[in-house]
């Protein structure tokens, strides 16, 4: 019996599904659903147009500043470096023009100067009665609340390359208020910088000024006494101190006293480390010992009473003149250091009253509304087409 031949395996043809997008079909779909596309596009454009006229106008004025002064080497380290003792440098406080511009105290000062609380919270203010519209359990806005509201209207940016600071001030509906805020911002910033940048050089300069006035008054008094004594109007001299050394020793004592007062001024600073404070105290004790040694080295000589008083008077004048000269020199140095440490700014572009509103940007809003509506309309058209095709497919399966 012959065996039936086995059927040979015939491979089935494999058809690749055509997944390419048919642009013509897309065109037909959009043409078919054009009402949806144009309807949504028109709706979004209309909403954008309405918002252009409904949204309040916001006006912006700009200021450009260049910070000045405030060397990296602080006044304390500069003052310590002039002393005859080696101490590590100390940096000044971190006050900058930018930090003041971003501070709450500046915004509170602006609000007080311009009485901005009613303008910052117009919904809670009654213009007719000039009172706040509050419920029983509510409180009127405070300066802190106003500072937070004003913080949203003032933006500060710094160019890291040039150091130039740009300040933008926005305000709704009233361009003059935006200008007034910007103008007062400059004045308040300058005032706060003068109050807050309290360097050691400034403190030492003020201290030297007081000492200089006292020594000057003492010197003038001694000069009057000298004139009266040499004219024979008086015979006794009311001495303020006594030293029988030469004029050079008097000047030396004056320099020592000036150096002693400088160290005392530095010792008043709280940020000195215990080690630095001990070094300064040891130096102060050494100077006190030298001054005491000069005073105890005084000797009395047997001279006529007139010559003795004249020597005393000349010595006293020499001591006072030496102290006065030292204080004048130190005072000028302290003034120069204070100018170097002073933080200030120069206005490059002053504020101005804006003529056109910064926001809303009408053209941009219309374009964004048009493009957004077009894209959403196209998506809605294809979604509608897909949804109709799914429904037809289900109906065909149910009928078949």
């Amino acid at each position: 019996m012959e065996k039936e031949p086995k059927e040979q395996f015939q491979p089935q043809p494999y058809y690749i599904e055509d997944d390419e997008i048919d642009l013509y079909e897309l065109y037909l779909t959009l043409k078919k659903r054009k009402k949806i596309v144009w309807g949504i596009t028109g709706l979004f454009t209309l909403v954008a147009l309405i918002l252009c006229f409904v949204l309040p106008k916001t006006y912006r004025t700009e200021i450009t500043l260049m910070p000045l002064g405030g060397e990296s080497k602080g006044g304390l380290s500069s003052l310590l470096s002039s002393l005859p003792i080696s101490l590590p440098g100390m940096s000044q406080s971190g006050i900058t023009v930018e930090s003041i511009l971003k501070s709450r105290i500046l915004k509170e000062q602006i609000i007080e100067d311009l009485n901005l609380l009613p303008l910052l919270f117009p919904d809670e203010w009654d213009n007719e009665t000039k009172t706040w519209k509050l419920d029983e359990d509510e409180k009127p806005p405070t300066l802190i609340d106003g500072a937070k509201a004003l913080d949203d209207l003032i933006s500060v940016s710094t160019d890291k390359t040039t150091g130039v600071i740009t300040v933008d001030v926005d305000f709704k509906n009233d361009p003059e208020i935006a200008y007034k805020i910007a103008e007062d911002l400059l004045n308040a910033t300058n005032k706060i910088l003068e109050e807050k940048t309290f360097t050691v050089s400034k403190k030492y300069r003020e201290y030297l000024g007081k000492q200089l006035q006292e020594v000057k008054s003492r010197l003038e008094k001694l000069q009057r006494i000298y004139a009266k004594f040499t004219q024979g109007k008086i015979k006794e001299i009311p001495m303020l101190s006594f030293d029988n050394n030469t004029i050079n020793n008097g000047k030396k004592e004056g320099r020592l006293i000036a150096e002693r007062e400088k160290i005392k001024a530095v010792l008043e600073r709280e940020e000195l480390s215990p080690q630095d404070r001990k070094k300064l105290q040891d130096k102060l004790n050494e100077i006190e010992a030298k001054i005491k040694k000069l005073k105890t080295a005084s000797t009395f000589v047997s001279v006529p009473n007139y010559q003795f008083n004249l020597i005393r008077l000349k010595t006293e004048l020499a001591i006072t003149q030496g102290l006065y000269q030292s204080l004048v020199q130190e005072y000028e140095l302290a003034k120069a250091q204070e100018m170097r440490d002073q933080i200030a700014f120069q206005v490059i572009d002053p504020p101005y009253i804006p003529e056109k509103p910064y926001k809303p940007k009408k053209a941009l809003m219309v374009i964004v509304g048009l493009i957004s509506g077009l894209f959403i309309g196209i998506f809605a058209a294809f979604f509608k087409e897909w949804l109709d095709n799914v429904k037809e497919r289900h109906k065909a399966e149910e009928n078949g």
Side-chain angles (χ1 to χ4, degrees):
M1 186 176 179
E2 297 181 358
K3 295 182 179 179
E4 294 180 1
K6 295 182 178 179
E7 293 182 0
Q8 295 183 353
F9 175 75
Q10 297 293 333
Q12 299 293 328
Y14 179 73
Y15 298 98
I16 300 176
E17 185 178 356
D18 188 7
D19 290 336
E20 294 182 1
I21 299 176
D22 192 338
L23 295 179
Y24 184 69
E25 289 185 3
L26 296 180
Y27 167 74
L28 293 176
T29 301
L30 292 177
K31 185 178 180 181
K32 179 182 177 181
R33 308 290 182 181
K34 62 182 179 181
K35 291 183 178 181
I36 297 177
V37 175
W38 294 122
I40 295 178
T41 303
L43 177 63
F44 273 71
T45 306
L46 179 62
V47 171
L49 286 171
I50 293 174
L51 289 176
C52 288
F53 295 98
V54 171
L55 291 177
K57 296 178 181 180
T58 300
Y59 293 88
R60 167 173 290 187
T61 184
E62 296 180 354
I63 312 171
T64 307
L65 309 174
M66 173 60 75
L68 303 173
E71 294 183 346
S72 59
K73 185 178 182 181
L76 179 58
S77 59
S78 301
L79 189 57
L80 290 176
S81 64
S82 66
L83 294 175
I85 184 172
S86 177
L87 292 175
M90 301 177 67
S91 61
Q92 67 182 29
S93 60
I95 296 178
T96 61
V97 176
E98 184 179 6
S99 64
I100 295 297
L101 290 172
K102 295 181 178 180
S103 66
R104 190 189 77 247
I105 188 175
L106 173 66
K107 298 175 179 63
E108 291 179 355
Q109 184 66 48
I110 295 172
I111 293 171
E112 287 184 336
D113 293 342
L114 302 178
N115 191 24
L116 289 180
L117 282 180
L119 299 177
L120 294 173
F121 303 96
D123 296 337
E124 303 176 28
W125 177 257
D126 191 339
N127 278 325
E128 296 181 358
T129 61
K130 304 298 181 181
T131 57
W132 295 101
K133 297 182 292 185
L134 303 172
D135 296 333
E136 295 181 358
D137 57 342
E138 290 182 342
K139 295 181 179 180
T142 62
L143 281 177
I144 296 178
D145 298 328
K148 292 178 180 178
L150 193 60
D151 189 52
D152 297 332
L153 305 179
I154 300 176
S155 61
V156 181
S157 60
T158 304
D159 189 327
K160 301 301 181 182
T161 304
T162 62
V164 174
I165 300 175
T166 302
V167 183
D168 297 329
V169 179
D170 298 342
F171 202 81
K172 294 180 180 179
N173 298 325
D174 196 336
E176 292 188 2
I177 295 297
Y179 169 75
K180 289 181 179 179
I181 292 175
E183 188 179 39
D184 194 70
L185 179 142
L186 293 177
N187 298 331
T189 301
N190 190 49
K191 181 180 178 181
I192 293 173
L193 281 174
E194 291 179 355
E195 293 175 352
K196 297 297 181 181
T197 53
F198 189 79
T199 62
V200 176
S201 297
K202 180 177 180 180
K203 182 177 181 182
Y204 185 55
R205 191 265 304 164
E206 292 175 350
Y207 173 79
L208 283 177
K210 295 178 181 178
Q211 295 295 315
L212 197 58
Q213 290 298 323
E214 292 179 3
V215 174
K216 183 180 180 181
S217 175
R218 176 182 172 183
L219 182 61
E220 291 173 351
K221 180 179 180 180
L222 285 172
Q223 289 173 343
R224 289 194 299 269
I225 293 174
Y226 182 81
K228 290 181 180 180
F229 181 78
T230 54
Q231 293 172 5
K233 296 181 178 180
I234 59 174
K235 295 183 179 181
E236 295 295 331
I237 302 173
M239 303 303 297
L240 302 177
S241 62
F242 178 78
D243 184 16
N244 202 34
N245 292 326
T246 61
I247 294 177
N248 291 333
N249 282 342
K251 292 182 178 181
K252 183 178 180 181
E253 183 177 353
R255 288 193 296 269
L256 288 173
I257 293 174
E259 188 175 322
R260 178 189 66 185
E261 299 304 326
K262 182 194 295 186
I263 294 177
K264 286 182 177 180
V266 177
L267 282 172
E268 293 180 4
R269 300 293 295 184
E270 298 180 355
E271 60 264 33
L272 280 175
S273 64
Q275 183 179 5
D276 296 340
R277 190 175 294 277
K278 185 178 183 302
K279 290 181 179 180
L280 288 173
Q281 188 62 48
D282 293 341
K283 185 62 183 178
L284 182 63
N285 295 336
E286 181 182 345
I287 293 174
E288 293 283 4
K290 289 181 180 180
I291 295 175
K292 185 177 180 181
K293 184 177 180 181
L294 287 173
K295 289 184 178 294
T296 55
S298 301
T299 57
F300 292 93
V301 293
S302 177
V303 292
N305 189 54
Y306 176 84
Q307 295 182 359
F308 175 71
N309 287 328
L310 183 62
I311 292 174
R312 291 177 59 194
L313 187 55
K314 288 183 177 180
T315 301
E316 187 69 29
L317 278 170
I319 294 174
T320 308
Q321 287 174 347
L323 177 59
Y324 181 77
Q325 292 173 0
S326 299
L327 287 175
V328 168
Q329 183 180 8
E330 292 296 328
Y331 184 78
E332 294 299 326
L333 291 174
K335 284 202 304 183
Q337 184 61 47
E338 183 182 6
M339 291 300 297
R340 286 194 294 268
D341 291 342
Q342 184 64 38
I343 302 173
F345 60 86
Q346 180 180 4
V347 180
I348 300 176
D349 294 323
Y352 55 90
I353 299 178
E355 297 180 356
K356 297 180 180 180
Y358 174 73
K359 292 186 299 185
K361 300 180 182 296
K362 297 181 180 180
L364 180 60
M365 290 181 63
V366 172
I367 292 173
V368 171
L370 178 64
I371 295 175
S372 301
L374 184 61
F375 275 100
I376 295 176
I378 292 172
F379 173 79
F382 284 119
F383 181 78
K384 177 64 174 174
E385 182 68 17
W386 172 80
L387 190 61
D388 290 347
N389 290 337
V390 171
K391 290 180 179 180
E392 290 178 1
R393 194 180 305 121
H394 281 289
K395 288 181 179 180
E397 290 177 356
E398 291 176 357
N399 296 331

